[in-house]
Amino acid sequence: MTEKQRTLLFIKPDGVMRGLIGEIIQRVERKGLIITAIKLVKFDRQKAEEFYAVHKGKPFFEALVEHVTSGPILAMVAEGPEAVMVVRKLIGKTSPFEAEPGTIRGDFGINVTKNIVHASDSVENAEREIKFFFKEDEILSYEKPTEKKFAV
Ligand code: IDP
Ligand code: MG
């Protein structure tokens, strides 16, 4: 049984700086997901450390926080059937060296820290991460015309 889900995706500063916003949004749309919230923001250090708290103490933590606070990030909520897994598949493996061609990281990334995008890895984390960036009233609810039960 497929489940309608929402997930948090953000384009890291390297993706924004390299002009990949349109490319990445296009891939999300092309897959059939809808974007229900979107915002260009900058992480401050405290927020970034909190967001990535699960990685605190790991050797790459400092470089990660340094990178995500280095410039603007584009955060968005993507919604659709099995959205969490679908977006993880679209972005590819964490390391761009291992990520398959055809995935965002596989096509554009060449550095594990600067791996272009972040996406939630579970429904629970998605809900936590969405709250990080968006108030509930900033997230819209709508359906694609093709999914309406009764066509006009
Ligand atoms: P994910 O982004 O694919 O979910 P996580 O394991 O949650 O990967 O790690 C969060 C971020 O930390 C990654 O996107 C990557 O930028 C960075 N990272 C993870 N593992 C490494 C590593 O071994 N070396 C350098 N950076 C890493
Ligand atoms: Mg992760």
Side-chain angles (χ1 to χ4, degrees):
M1 197 46 189
T2 56
E3 185 190 18
K4 183 162 135 183
Q5 296 172 349
R6 51 188 198 170
T7 191
L8 189 278
L9 170 68
F10 70 74
I11 307 178
K12 295 183 179 182
D14 56 312
V16 174
M17 297 303 179
R18 286 176 55 189
L20 294 172
I21 289 176
E23 174 72 44
I24 292 164
I25 289 178
Q26 187 177 40
R27 289 173 182 230
V28 173
E29 291 186 320
R30 206 167 58 185
K31 181 68 184 175
L33 299 171
I34 59 168
I35 293 167
T36 55
I38 192 159
K39 195 188 281 183
L40 191 67
V41 290
K42 198 159 183 292
F43 253 143
D44 63 27
R45 172 162 281 271
Q46 191 191 334
K47 274 276 185 191
E49 287 187 1
E50 201 182 327
F51 186 87
Y52 282 118
V54 65
H55 297 301
K56 204 163 186 150
K58 293 185 186 167
F60 58 84
F61 183 72
E62 189 51 37
L64 174 62
V65 169
E66 195 65 35
H67 175 51
V68 295
T69 56
S70 70
I73 63 180
L74 189 77
M76 67 194 94
V77 177
E79 183 188 285
E82 306 297 329
V84 171
M85 178 175 62
V86 166
V87 173
R88 288 294 296 194
K89 295 248 183 226
L90 283 181
I91 73 171
K93 289 190 183 153
T94 306
S95 165
F97 305 116
E98 290 174 31
E100 299 290 337
T103 64
I104 293 167
R105 287 164 168 173
D107 284 349
F108 303 112
I110 195 149
N111 179 312
V112 189
T113 302
K114 295 178 177 160
N115 60 355
I116 323 278
V117 278
H118 166 88
S120 312
D121 63 3
S122 69
V123 172
E124 295 71 34
N125 284 338
E127 289 306 312
R128 183 184 79 88
E129 293 177 358
I130 286 168
K131 284 193 181 69
F132 238 88
F133 292 97
F134 299 101
K135 299 194 193 82
E136 207 50 51
D137 67 3
E138 292 176 314
I139 306 169
L140 303 189
S141 179
Y142 61 94
E143 285 179 4
K144 288 189 285 184
T146 48
E147 285 173 7
K148 289 231 168 83
K149 287 192 184 73
F150 305 100
V152 185

